[in-house]
Amino acid sequence: MRIGIYQFAPVFGDREANLRRIESAVTEPVDLLVLPELCTTGYQFVDQKEVYSVAEEVPGGPTTRHLVKLARRINGAVVAGLAEKDDEKIYNTAVVVTPHGYIGKYRKLHLFFEEKEFFLPGNLPLRVWDIGPARIGVMICFDWIFPEVARILALQGADILCLPANLVLPYCQSAMVVRSIENRVFAVVANRIGTETRGGKQPLTFTGKSQVSSPKGNVLLQAPAEGEGFYTVDVDPSQARDKQITSRNHLFQDRRPEYYGLLAQEKAGG
Amino acid sequence: MRIGIYQFAPVFGDREANLRRIESAVTEPVDLLVLPELCTTGYQFVDQKEVYSVAEEVPGGPTTRHLVKLARRINGAVVAGLAEKDDEKIYNTAVVVTPHGYIGKYRKLHLFFEEKEFFLPGNLPLRVWDIGPARIGVMICFDWIFPEVARILALQGADILCLPANLVLPYCQSAMVVRSIENRVFAVVANRIGTETRGGKQPLTFTGKSQVSSPKGNVLLQAPAEGEGFYTVDVDPSQARDKQITSRNHLFQDRRPEYYGLLAQEKAGG
């Protein structure tokens, strides 16, 4: 199957312009297209009102409708980050659509820095979607630093981790290679580029280097740090279903969950 | 505080020779000395009888006694891998001693490849020891691929992860840097070198590159792939106690354990 990433600098606050750019950049069919976090709105909000004004319902809003059309045209699934409005509540969300329509959404569980002013923490369980050629799990940006997220998605059967991102730090890409190795899955980082300076805030420069890594930790694709581009790579998702890392080691059957209880305890390490 | 690693090629089956080499190599005081996995016996056993013949009680056996003397001489804690015998049961164990004596042991929870013929899987909970200048957690070699292990030790308050290892693959060192970043802890990989070819088995070449990484993911020390050596580095363990990775992100308080239940379920992903 073919995976595509569109790395670009969204125009702040202009959903239509961003959707047009995505539409024109994705020039060939892919089975799975991953777009950056908040790819229709930009990232650096100055107040809650501003986020509210650009957030939209999922799946009822215009972005989901538009992405379903895109999924039909490319004959593949699309994972894209956007600001979601649910009544008065705002989430940093990724929507998953296929040519058959909307199939689900993920709300970022671990919010980074000022996102805590603008979004509520995610309140949906981590889950996996079957998009036909592969099962995908979705996590968003800062989720990378919590190994629990990738592990849970892999335990649920994800072949491919999709990470829409707006990264400003350099650690995620090498960490996602380790997420691939420790879970024997593909990992797709769809990062944005460009600099945002809004409302007198410190400028944020996003670091590009969108990436696909393989279950054995090979970097199959890495985009440059700067520069817009639509990148594709062919992968065999069945490689992610072989968890037998030696003839006597099955990555998941070798786990010792009876010793892992602390991970799910609410007060651990607080 | 000063951390020391002695990277070497143990002589197979000759405990006395190996203890003498450790004794003479460690030429200066360190607060924490980490030695490789199975550092008094070698690695490539050919049958259970052979392991049984070199395994010893912990703390009752000669290696623990010897290491306590070493700890007194260097005025620091020692973490060292050895084959442990407990009645008829054999474990791949790491012992922890200080100048005040034996303080505990860890039995490898995740056995690699043929180790499953020779050792029982660990049956002690992951835990942390206070050695004075720092709190340490111990994991052994293949445990690196299970992010649960480092996470649990860090949640329990480990400042430094100690990993005695006999690595034959190249992934662990970069993964341990990510373990440092995702847990904001120091990580010490004490790997061995040399090649073992025993009983007509495939030769095993151990990959050296013993390493210390910092809570921010800097590699403070990396030994060469080949060559024996005693390596030291000074670290400030208080850096590992600051889990505030931005003014609004506390690495552990930001966890969402209410969504992590699957990690501790026994049938997950089997």
PDB file of all heavy atoms in Angstrom, chain A residues 110-111 113 116-117 148 151 179 182 248-249 253-254 256 260 270, chain B residues 109-111 113 116-117 148 151 179 182 248-249 253-254 260 270:
ATOM      1  N   HIS A 110      -2.956  14.244  25.295  1.00  0.00           N
ATOM      2  CA  HIS A 110      -1.891  14.935  26.029  1.00  0.00           C
ATOM      3  C   HIS A 110      -1.624  16.272  25.352  1.00  0.00           C
ATOM      4  O   HIS A 110      -0.981  16.326  24.299  1.00  0.00           O
ATOM      5  CB  HIS A 110      -0.619  14.082  26.046  1.00  0.00           C
ATOM      6  CG  HIS A 110      -0.846  12.688  26.565  1.00  0.00           C
ATOM      7  ND1 HIS A 110      -1.196  11.649  25.746  1.00  0.00           N
ATOM      8  CD2 HIS A 110      -0.809  12.183  27.823  1.00  0.00           C
ATOM      9  CE1 HIS A 110      -1.338  10.548  26.486  1.00  0.00           C
ATOM     10  NE2 HIS A 110      -1.119  10.840  27.741  1.00  0.00           N
ATOM     11  N   LEU A 111      -2.112  17.330  25.955  1.00  0.00           N
ATOM     12  CA  LEU A 111      -1.998  18.657  25.353  1.00  0.00           C
ATOM     13  C   LEU A 111      -0.659  19.287  25.705  1.00  0.00           C
ATOM     14  O   LEU A 111      -0.161  19.149  26.827  1.00  0.00           O
ATOM     15  CB  LEU A 111      -3.129  19.558  25.845  1.00  0.00           C
ATOM     16  CG  LEU A 111      -4.536  19.088  25.445  1.00  0.00           C
ATOM     17  CD1 LEU A 111      -5.595  19.932  26.159  1.00  0.00           C
ATOM     18  CD2 LEU A 111      -4.733  19.147  23.930  1.00  0.00           C
ATOM     19  N   PHE A 113       1.699  22.545  26.299  1.00  0.00           N
ATOM     20  CA  PHE A 113       1.897  23.970  26.618  1.00  0.00           C
ATOM     21  C   PHE A 113       0.590  24.767  26.503  1.00  0.00           C
ATOM     22  O   PHE A 113      -0.405  24.401  27.128  1.00  0.00           O
ATOM     23  CB  PHE A 113       3.004  24.506  25.696  1.00  0.00           C
ATOM     24  CG  PHE A 113       3.663  25.757  26.204  1.00  0.00           C
ATOM     25  CD1 PHE A 113       4.107  25.848  27.514  1.00  0.00           C
ATOM     26  CD2 PHE A 113       3.826  26.856  25.365  1.00  0.00           C
ATOM     27  CE1 PHE A 113       4.716  27.023  27.974  1.00  0.00           C
ATOM     28  CE2 PHE A 113       4.430  28.022  25.816  1.00  0.00           C
ATOM     29  CZ  PHE A 113       4.864  28.110  27.119  1.00  0.00           C
ATOM     30  N   LYS A 116      -3.298  23.954  26.405  1.00  0.00           N
ATOM     31  CA  LYS A 116      -4.167  23.754  27.573  1.00  0.00           C
ATOM     32  C   LYS A 116      -5.106  24.943  27.799  1.00  0.00           C
ATOM     33  O   LYS A 116      -6.124  24.793  28.490  1.00  0.00           O
ATOM     34  CB  LYS A 116      -3.306  23.495  28.823  1.00  0.00           C
ATOM     35  CG  LYS A 116      -2.566  22.162  28.749  1.00  0.00           C
ATOM     36  CD  LYS A 116      -1.816  21.846  30.036  1.00  0.00           C
ATOM     37  CE  LYS A 116      -1.102  20.491  29.910  1.00  0.00           C
ATOM     38  NZ  LYS A 116      -0.554  20.015  31.179  1.00  0.00           N
ATOM     39  N   GLU A 117      -4.772  26.097  27.245  1.00  0.00           N
ATOM     40  CA  GLU A 117      -5.694  27.233  27.330  1.00  0.00           C
ATOM     41  C   GLU A 117      -6.841  27.124  26.338  1.00  0.00           C
ATOM     42  O   GLU A 117      -7.892  27.719  26.528  1.00  0.00           O
ATOM     43  CB  GLU A 117      -4.951  28.532  27.005  1.00  0.00           C
ATOM     44  CG  GLU A 117      -4.074  29.033  28.112  1.00  0.00           C
ATOM     45  CD  GLU A 117      -3.430  30.361  27.729  1.00  0.00           C
ATOM     46  OE1 GLU A 117      -4.094  31.179  27.053  1.00  0.00           O
ATOM     47  OE2 GLU A 117      -2.266  30.562  28.094  1.00  0.00           O
ATOM     48  N   GLU A 148       2.996   5.017  26.362  1.00  0.00           N
ATOM     49  CA  GLU A 148       1.735   4.310  26.567  1.00  0.00           C
ATOM     50  C   GLU A 148       0.834   4.382  25.323  1.00  0.00           C
ATOM     51  O   GLU A 148       0.121   3.430  25.003  1.00  0.00           O
ATOM     52  CB  GLU A 148       0.986   4.925  27.757  1.00  0.00           C
ATOM     53  CG  GLU A 148       1.684   4.744  29.117  1.00  0.00           C
ATOM     54  CD  GLU A 148       2.682   5.841  29.480  1.00  0.00           C
ATOM     55  OE1 GLU A 148       3.060   6.639  28.595  1.00  0.00           O
ATOM     56  OE2 GLU A 148       3.084   5.897  30.665  1.00  0.00           O
ATOM     57  N   ARG A 151       1.962   2.128  22.423  1.00  0.00           N
ATOM     58  CA  ARG A 151       1.849   0.750  22.873  1.00  0.00           C
ATOM     59  C   ARG A 151       0.400   0.267  22.863  1.00  0.00           C
ATOM     60  O   ARG A 151       0.100  -0.837  22.391  1.00  0.00           O
ATOM     61  CB  ARG A 151       2.404   0.637  24.300  1.00  0.00           C
ATOM     62  CG  ARG A 151       2.457  -0.764  24.838  1.00  0.00           C
ATOM     63  CD  ARG A 151       3.303  -1.669  23.985  1.00  0.00           C
ATOM     64  NE  ARG A 151       4.324  -2.376  24.721  1.00  0.00           N
ATOM     65  CZ  ARG A 151       5.416  -2.864  24.174  1.00  0.00           C
ATOM     66  NH1 ARG A 151       5.625  -2.754  22.876  1.00  0.00           N
ATOM     67  NH2 ARG A 151       6.309  -3.488  24.905  1.00  0.00           N
ATOM     68  N   ARG A 179       9.404   4.039  18.710  1.00  0.00           N
ATOM     69  CA  ARG A 179       8.018   3.537  18.797  1.00  0.00           C
ATOM     70  C   ARG A 179       7.785   2.433  17.758  1.00  0.00           C
ATOM     71  O   ARG A 179       7.097   1.449  18.026  1.00  0.00           O
ATOM     72  CB  ARG A 179       6.998   4.665  18.561  1.00  0.00           C
ATOM     73  CG  ARG A 179       7.088   5.811  19.572  1.00  0.00           C
ATOM     74  CD  ARG A 179       6.446   5.488  20.891  1.00  0.00           C
ATOM     75  NE  ARG A 179       6.738   6.546  21.848  1.00  0.00           N
ATOM     76  CZ  ARG A 179       7.699   6.509  22.781  1.00  0.00           C
ATOM     77  NH1 ARG A 179       8.444   5.438  22.942  1.00  0.00           N
ATOM     78  NH2 ARG A 179       7.879   7.520  23.608  1.00  0.00           N
ATOM     79  N   GLU A 182       9.830  -0.731  19.096  1.00  0.00           N
ATOM     80  CA  GLU A 182       9.328  -1.378  20.315  1.00  0.00           C
ATOM     81  C   GLU A 182       7.931  -1.959  20.138  1.00  0.00           C
ATOM     82  O   GLU A 182       7.497  -2.780  20.942  1.00  0.00           O
ATOM     83  CB  GLU A 182       9.374  -0.402  21.507  1.00  0.00           C
ATOM     84  CG  GLU A 182       8.363   0.717  21.433  1.00  0.00           C
ATOM     85  CD  GLU A 182       8.727   1.923  22.321  1.00  0.00           C
ATOM     86  OE1 GLU A 182       9.892   2.053  22.728  1.00  0.00           O
ATOM     87  OE2 GLU A 182       7.834   2.741  22.578  1.00  0.00           O
ATOM     88  N   ARG A 248      12.022 -17.331  19.458  1.00  0.00           N
ATOM     89  CA  ARG A 248      11.516 -17.542  20.825  1.00  0.00           C
ATOM     90  C   ARG A 248      11.000 -16.276  21.495  1.00  0.00           C
ATOM     91  O   ARG A 248      10.733 -16.288  22.693  1.00  0.00           O
ATOM     92  CB  ARG A 248      12.622 -18.130  21.697  1.00  0.00           C
ATOM     93  CG  ARG A 248      13.108 -19.450  21.126  1.00  0.00           C
ATOM     94  CD  ARG A 248      14.080 -20.128  22.028  1.00  0.00           C
ATOM     95  NE  ARG A 248      14.698 -21.220  21.291  1.00  0.00           N
ATOM     96  CZ  ARG A 248      15.366 -22.207  21.845  1.00  0.00           C
ATOM     97  NH1 ARG A 248      15.524 -22.247  23.153  1.00  0.00           N
ATOM     98  NH2 ARG A 248      15.890 -23.157  21.117  1.00  0.00           N
ATOM     99  N   ASN A 249      10.937 -15.190  20.744  1.00  0.00           N
ATOM    100  CA  ASN A 249      10.456 -13.935  21.344  1.00  0.00           C
ATOM    101  C   ASN A 249       9.323 -13.328  20.531  1.00  0.00           C
ATOM    102  O   ASN A 249       9.538 -12.851  19.412  1.00  0.00           O
ATOM    103  CB  ASN A 249      11.593 -12.918  21.468  1.00  0.00           C
ATOM    104  CG  ASN A 249      12.612 -13.310  22.519  1.00  0.00           C
ATOM    105  OD1 ASN A 249      13.678 -13.841  22.208  1.00  0.00           O
ATOM    106  ND2 ASN A 249      12.276 -13.085  23.773  1.00  0.00           N
ATOM    107  N   GLN A 253       3.551 -11.335  23.373  1.00  0.00           N
ATOM    108  CA  GLN A 253       3.371 -12.455  24.311  1.00  0.00           C
ATOM    109  C   GLN A 253       4.453 -12.460  25.388  1.00  0.00           C
ATOM    110  O   GLN A 253       4.262 -13.014  26.467  1.00  0.00           O
ATOM    111  CB  GLN A 253       3.349 -13.785  23.546  1.00  0.00           C
ATOM    112  CG  GLN A 253       2.035 -13.978  22.797  1.00  0.00           C
ATOM    113  CD  GLN A 253       2.095 -15.104  21.771  1.00  0.00           C
ATOM    114  OE1 GLN A 253       3.015 -15.910  21.747  1.00  0.00           O
ATOM    115  NE2 GLN A 253       1.087 -15.134  20.904  1.00  0.00           N
ATOM    116  N   ASP A 254       5.582 -11.840  25.107  1.00  0.00           N
ATOM    117  CA  ASP A 254       6.663 -11.758  26.098  1.00  0.00           C
ATOM    118  C   ASP A 254       6.416 -10.680  27.155  1.00  0.00           C
ATOM    119  O   ASP A 254       7.175 -10.598  28.135  1.00  0.00           O
ATOM    120  CB  ASP A 254       8.004 -11.471  25.405  1.00  0.00           C
ATOM    121  CG  ASP A 254       8.646 -12.736  24.833  1.00  0.00           C
ATOM    122  OD1 ASP A 254       8.027 -13.811  24.952  1.00  0.00           O
ATOM    123  OD2 ASP A 254       9.743 -12.642  24.273  1.00  0.00           O
ATOM    124  N   ARG A 256       4.957  -8.772  30.375  1.00  0.00           N
ATOM    125  CA  ARG A 256       4.639  -9.312  31.694  1.00  0.00           C
ATOM    126  C   ARG A 256       3.634  -8.384  32.396  1.00  0.00           C
ATOM    127  O   ARG A 256       3.964  -7.750  33.403  1.00  0.00           O
ATOM    128  CB  ARG A 256       5.926  -9.426  32.537  1.00  0.00           C
ATOM    129  CG  ARG A 256       7.083 -10.201  31.889  1.00  0.00           C
ATOM    130  CD  ARG A 256       6.852 -11.692  31.820  1.00  0.00           C
ATOM    131  NE  ARG A 256       6.496 -12.282  33.091  1.00  0.00           N
ATOM    132  CZ  ARG A 256       7.370 -12.643  34.045  1.00  0.00           C
ATOM    133  NH1 ARG A 256       8.669 -12.452  33.862  1.00  0.00           N
ATOM    134  NH2 ARG A 256       6.949 -13.169  35.172  1.00  0.00           N
ATOM    135  N   TYR A 260       2.925  -4.766  35.402  1.00  0.00           N
ATOM    136  CA  TYR A 260       2.775  -3.423  34.824  1.00  0.00           C
ATOM    137  C   TYR A 260       1.646  -2.613  35.452  1.00  0.00           C
ATOM    138  O   TYR A 260       1.246  -1.575  34.915  1.00  0.00           O
ATOM    139  CB  TYR A 260       2.501  -3.512  33.319  1.00  0.00           C
ATOM    140  CG  TYR A 260       3.534  -4.210  32.462  1.00  0.00           C
ATOM    141  CD1 TYR A 260       3.196  -4.623  31.166  1.00  0.00           C
ATOM    142  CD2 TYR A 260       4.835  -4.451  32.903  1.00  0.00           C
ATOM    143  CE1 TYR A 260       4.114  -5.251  30.340  1.00  0.00           C
ATOM    144  CE2 TYR A 260       5.757  -5.085  32.085  1.00  0.00           C
ATOM    145  CZ  TYR A 260       5.387  -5.492  30.799  1.00  0.00           C
ATOM    146  OH  TYR A 260       6.289  -6.115  29.981  1.00  0.00           O
ATOM    147  N   GLY A 270       2.560  10.885  40.400  1.00  0.00           N
ATOM    148  CA  GLY A 270       2.069  12.262  40.374  1.00  0.00           C
ATOM    149  C   GLY A 270       3.003  13.172  41.153  1.00  0.00           C
ATOM    150  O   GLY A 270       3.104  14.323  40.846  1.00  0.00           O
TER     151      GLY A 270
ATOM    152  N   LEU B 109      12.911  -9.682  33.775  1.00  0.00           N
ATOM    153  CA  LEU B 109      11.504 -10.023  33.511  1.00  0.00           C
ATOM    154  C   LEU B 109      11.295 -10.548  32.098  1.00  0.00           C
ATOM    155  O   LEU B 109      10.370 -11.325  31.859  1.00  0.00           O
ATOM    156  CB  LEU B 109      10.621  -8.789  33.716  1.00  0.00           C
ATOM    157  CG  LEU B 109      10.268  -8.414  35.158  1.00  0.00           C
ATOM    158  CD1 LEU B 109       9.514  -7.087  35.188  1.00  0.00           C
ATOM    159  CD2 LEU B 109       9.419  -9.497  35.827  1.00  0.00           C
ATOM    160  N   HIS B 110      12.121 -10.064  31.163  1.00  0.00           N
ATOM    161  CA  HIS B 110      11.903 -10.397  29.751  1.00  0.00           C
ATOM    162  C   HIS B 110      13.153 -11.073  29.220  1.00  0.00           C
ATOM    163  O   HIS B 110      14.162 -10.416  28.945  1.00  0.00           O
ATOM    164  CB  HIS B 110      11.604  -9.126  28.957  1.00  0.00           C
ATOM    165  CG  HIS B 110      10.466  -8.311  29.514  1.00  0.00           C
ATOM    166  ND1 HIS B 110      10.659  -7.318  30.443  1.00  0.00           N
ATOM    167  CD2 HIS B 110       9.133  -8.372  29.293  1.00  0.00           C
ATOM    168  CE1 HIS B 110       9.476  -6.788  30.757  1.00  0.00           C
ATOM    169  NE2 HIS B 110       8.535  -7.406  30.082  1.00  0.00           N
ATOM    170  N   LEU B 111      13.068 -12.383  29.057  1.00  0.00           N
ATOM    171  CA  LEU B 111      14.239 -13.164  28.642  1.00  0.00           C
ATOM    172  C   LEU B 111      14.360 -13.167  27.124  1.00  0.00           C
ATOM    173  O   LEU B 111      13.356 -13.244  26.407  1.00  0.00           O
ATOM    174  CB  LEU B 111      14.122 -14.596  29.160  1.00  0.00           C
ATOM    175  CG  LEU B 111      14.107 -14.727  30.690  1.00  0.00           C
ATOM    176  CD1 LEU B 111      13.763 -16.158  31.086  1.00  0.00           C
ATOM    177  CD2 LEU B 111      15.463 -14.314  31.283  1.00  0.00           C
ATOM    178  N   PHE B 113      15.604 -14.900  23.662  1.00  0.00           N
ATOM    179  CA  PHE B 113      16.011 -16.055  22.851  1.00  0.00           C
ATOM    180  C   PHE B 113      16.364 -17.267  23.732  1.00  0.00           C
ATOM    181  O   PHE B 113      15.559 -17.676  24.566  1.00  0.00           O
ATOM    182  CB  PHE B 113      17.188 -15.616  21.960  1.00  0.00           C
ATOM    183  CG  PHE B 113      17.392 -16.497  20.763  1.00  0.00           C
ATOM    184  CD1 PHE B 113      16.334 -16.848  19.944  1.00  0.00           C
ATOM    185  CD2 PHE B 113      18.656 -16.995  20.445  1.00  0.00           C
ATOM    186  CE1 PHE B 113      16.532 -17.672  18.829  1.00  0.00           C
ATOM    187  CE2 PHE B 113      18.862 -17.809  19.339  1.00  0.00           C
ATOM    188  CZ  PHE B 113      17.804 -18.135  18.536  1.00  0.00           C
ATOM    189  N   LYS B 116      15.689 -18.419  27.494  1.00  0.00           N
ATOM    190  CA  LYS B 116      14.480 -19.102  27.972  1.00  0.00           C
ATOM    191  C   LYS B 116      14.736 -20.571  28.300  1.00  0.00           C
ATOM    192  O   LYS B 116      13.968 -21.191  29.021  1.00  0.00           O
ATOM    193  CB  LYS B 116      13.356 -18.961  26.948  1.00  0.00           C
ATOM    194  CG  LYS B 116      12.873 -17.519  26.805  1.00  0.00           C
ATOM    195  CD  LYS B 116      11.644 -17.395  25.908  1.00  0.00           C
ATOM    196  CE  LYS B 116      11.214 -15.927  25.828  1.00  0.00           C
ATOM    197  NZ  LYS B 116       9.905 -15.748  25.162  1.00  0.00           N
ATOM    198  N   GLU B 117      15.813 -21.123  27.741  1.00  0.00           N
ATOM    199  CA  GLU B 117      16.194 -22.499  28.097  1.00  0.00           C
ATOM    200  C   GLU B 117      16.903 -22.567  29.438  1.00  0.00           C
ATOM    201  O   GLU B 117      16.912 -23.610  30.087  1.00  0.00           O
ATOM    202  CB  GLU B 117      17.169 -23.058  27.058  1.00  0.00           C
ATOM    203  CG  GLU B 117      16.512 -23.497  25.786  1.00  0.00           C
ATOM    204  CD  GLU B 117      17.554 -24.091  24.835  1.00  0.00           C
ATOM    205  OE1 GLU B 117      18.479 -24.777  25.304  1.00  0.00           O
ATOM    206  OE2 GLU B 117      17.434 -23.827  23.636  1.00  0.00           O
ATOM    207  N   GLU B 148       7.438  -0.294  29.065  1.00  0.00           N
ATOM    208  CA  GLU B 148       6.798  -0.394  30.378  1.00  0.00           C
ATOM    209  C   GLU B 148       7.831  -0.413  31.503  1.00  0.00           C
ATOM    210  O   GLU B 148       7.587   0.127  32.593  1.00  0.00           O
ATOM    211  CB  GLU B 148       5.963  -1.684  30.436  1.00  0.00           C
ATOM    212  CG  GLU B 148       4.750  -1.718  29.493  1.00  0.00           C
ATOM    213  CD  GLU B 148       5.033  -2.268  28.098  1.00  0.00           C
ATOM    214  OE1 GLU B 148       6.234  -2.417  27.734  1.00  0.00           O
ATOM    215  OE2 GLU B 148       4.075  -2.555  27.369  1.00  0.00           O
ATOM    216  N   ARG B 151       9.427   3.005  32.234  1.00  0.00           N
ATOM    217  CA  ARG B 151       8.366   3.883  32.716  1.00  0.00           C
ATOM    218  C   ARG B 151       8.016   3.598  34.170  1.00  0.00           C
ATOM    219  O   ARG B 151       7.876   4.514  34.989  1.00  0.00           O
ATOM    220  CB  ARG B 151       7.129   3.695  31.838  1.00  0.00           C
ATOM    221  CG  ARG B 151       5.992   4.622  32.155  1.00  0.00           C
ATOM    222  CD  ARG B 151       6.399   6.075  32.008  1.00  0.00           C
ATOM    223  NE  ARG B 151       5.521   6.830  31.154  1.00  0.00           N
ATOM    224  CZ  ARG B 151       5.859   7.949  30.558  1.00  0.00           C
ATOM    225  NH1 ARG B 151       7.073   8.451  30.709  1.00  0.00           N
ATOM    226  NH2 ARG B 151       5.014   8.602  29.794  1.00  0.00           N
ATOM    227  N   ARG B 179      14.297   6.377  26.092  1.00  0.00           N
ATOM    228  CA  ARG B 179      13.841   6.086  27.468  1.00  0.00           C
ATOM    229  C   ARG B 179      14.213   7.250  28.395  1.00  0.00           C
ATOM    230  O   ARG B 179      13.447   7.613  29.283  1.00  0.00           O
ATOM    231  CB  ARG B 179      14.482   4.800  28.004  1.00  0.00           C
ATOM    232  CG  ARG B 179      14.150   3.547  27.211  1.00  0.00           C
ATOM    233  CD  ARG B 179      12.763   3.021  27.467  1.00  0.00           C
ATOM    234  NE  ARG B 179      12.453   1.941  26.540  1.00  0.00           N
ATOM    235  CZ  ARG B 179      11.710   2.087  25.434  1.00  0.00           C
ATOM    236  NH1 ARG B 179      11.147   3.238  25.137  1.00  0.00           N
ATOM    237  NH2 ARG B 179      11.487   1.058  24.639  1.00  0.00           N
ATOM    238  N   GLU B 182      11.753  10.246  27.384  1.00  0.00           N
ATOM    239  CA  GLU B 182      10.328  10.055  27.701  1.00  0.00           C
ATOM    240  C   GLU B 182      10.088   9.933  29.205  1.00  0.00           C
ATOM    241  O   GLU B 182       8.954  10.088  29.661  1.00  0.00           O
ATOM    242  CB  GLU B 182       9.759   8.847  26.944  1.00  0.00           C
ATOM    243  CG  GLU B 182      10.245   7.503  27.430  1.00  0.00           C
ATOM    244  CD  GLU B 182      10.081   6.387  26.411  1.00  0.00           C
ATOM    245  OE1 GLU B 182       9.883   6.678  25.219  1.00  0.00           O
ATOM    246  OE2 GLU B 182      10.175   5.213  26.793  1.00  0.00           O
ATOM    247  N   ARG B 248       3.878  24.389  31.614  1.00  0.00           N
ATOM    248  CA  ARG B 248       2.534  23.806  31.735  1.00  0.00           C
ATOM    249  C   ARG B 248       2.496  22.303  31.513  1.00  0.00           C
ATOM    250  O   ARG B 248       1.411  21.728  31.400  1.00  0.00           O
ATOM    251  CB  ARG B 248       1.590  24.480  30.740  1.00  0.00           C
ATOM    252  CG  ARG B 248       1.555  25.973  30.958  1.00  0.00           C
ATOM    253  CD  ARG B 248       0.531  26.648  30.103  1.00  0.00           C
ATOM    254  NE  ARG B 248       0.725  28.091  30.187  1.00  0.00           N
ATOM    255  CZ  ARG B 248      -0.153  28.984  29.802  1.00  0.00           C
ATOM    256  NH1 ARG B 248      -1.301  28.590  29.304  1.00  0.00           N
ATOM    257  NH2 ARG B 248       0.099  30.273  29.913  1.00  0.00           N
ATOM    258  N   ASN B 249       3.666  21.686  31.389  1.00  0.00           N
ATOM    259  CA  ASN B 249       3.667  20.234  31.153  1.00  0.00           C
ATOM    260  C   ASN B 249       4.551  19.522  32.157  1.00  0.00           C
ATOM    261  O   ASN B 249       5.787  19.658  32.106  1.00  0.00           O
ATOM    262  CB  ASN B 249       4.159  19.906  29.737  1.00  0.00           C
ATOM    263  CG  ASN B 249       3.157  20.308  28.669  1.00  0.00           C
ATOM    264  OD1 ASN B 249       3.303  21.348  28.039  1.00  0.00           O
ATOM    265  ND2 ASN B 249       2.135  19.503  28.489  1.00  0.00           N
ATOM    266  N   GLN B 253       2.420  14.146  35.623  1.00  0.00           N
ATOM    267  CA  GLN B 253       1.052  14.602  35.922  1.00  0.00           C
ATOM    268  C   GLN B 253       0.215  14.717  34.647  1.00  0.00           C
ATOM    269  O   GLN B 253      -1.012  14.667  34.701  1.00  0.00           O
ATOM    270  CB  GLN B 253       1.100  15.939  36.667  1.00  0.00           C
ATOM    271  CG  GLN B 253       1.566  15.759  38.118  1.00  0.00           C
ATOM    272  CD  GLN B 253       1.927  17.077  38.793  1.00  0.00           C
ATOM    273  OE1 GLN B 253       1.652  18.149  38.294  1.00  0.00           O
ATOM    274  NE2 GLN B 253       2.571  16.975  39.952  1.00  0.00           N
ATOM    275  N   ASP B 254       0.876  14.867  33.517  1.00  0.00           N
ATOM    276  CA  ASP B 254       0.152  14.929  32.239  1.00  0.00           C
ATOM    277  C   ASP B 254      -0.285  13.559  31.730  1.00  0.00           C
ATOM    278  O   ASP B 254      -1.042  13.481  30.756  1.00  0.00           O
ATOM    279  CB  ASP B 254       1.028  15.593  31.162  1.00  0.00           C
ATOM    280  CG  ASP B 254       0.998  17.109  31.231  1.00  0.00           C
ATOM    281  OD1 ASP B 254       0.321  17.655  32.129  1.00  0.00           O
ATOM    282  OD2 ASP B 254       1.651  17.759  30.386  1.00  0.00           O
ATOM    283  N   TYR B 260      -5.099   4.099  30.090  1.00  0.00           N
ATOM    284  CA  TYR B 260      -3.976   3.174  29.896  1.00  0.00           C
ATOM    285  C   TYR B 260      -4.249   1.750  30.402  1.00  0.00           C
ATOM    286  O   TYR B 260      -3.317   0.946  30.526  1.00  0.00           O
ATOM    287  CB  TYR B 260      -2.718   3.680  30.622  1.00  0.00           C
ATOM    288  CG  TYR B 260      -2.198   5.051  30.233  1.00  0.00           C
ATOM    289  CD1 TYR B 260      -1.301   5.712  31.075  1.00  0.00           C
ATOM    290  CD2 TYR B 260      -2.557   5.675  29.039  1.00  0.00           C
ATOM    291  CE1 TYR B 260      -0.786   6.956  30.748  1.00  0.00           C
ATOM    292  CE2 TYR B 260      -2.049   6.930  28.717  1.00  0.00           C
ATOM    293  CZ  TYR B 260      -1.165   7.568  29.571  1.00  0.00           C
ATOM    294  OH  TYR B 260      -0.643   8.796  29.262  1.00  0.00           O
ATOM    295  N   GLY B 270      -2.162 -10.468  23.073  1.00  0.00           N
ATOM    296  CA  GLY B 270      -1.545 -11.782  22.993  1.00  0.00           C
ATOM    297  C   GLY B 270      -1.689 -12.380  21.610  1.00  0.00           C
ATOM    298  O   GLY B 270      -0.824 -13.063  21.134  1.00  0.00           O
TER     299      GLY B 270
END
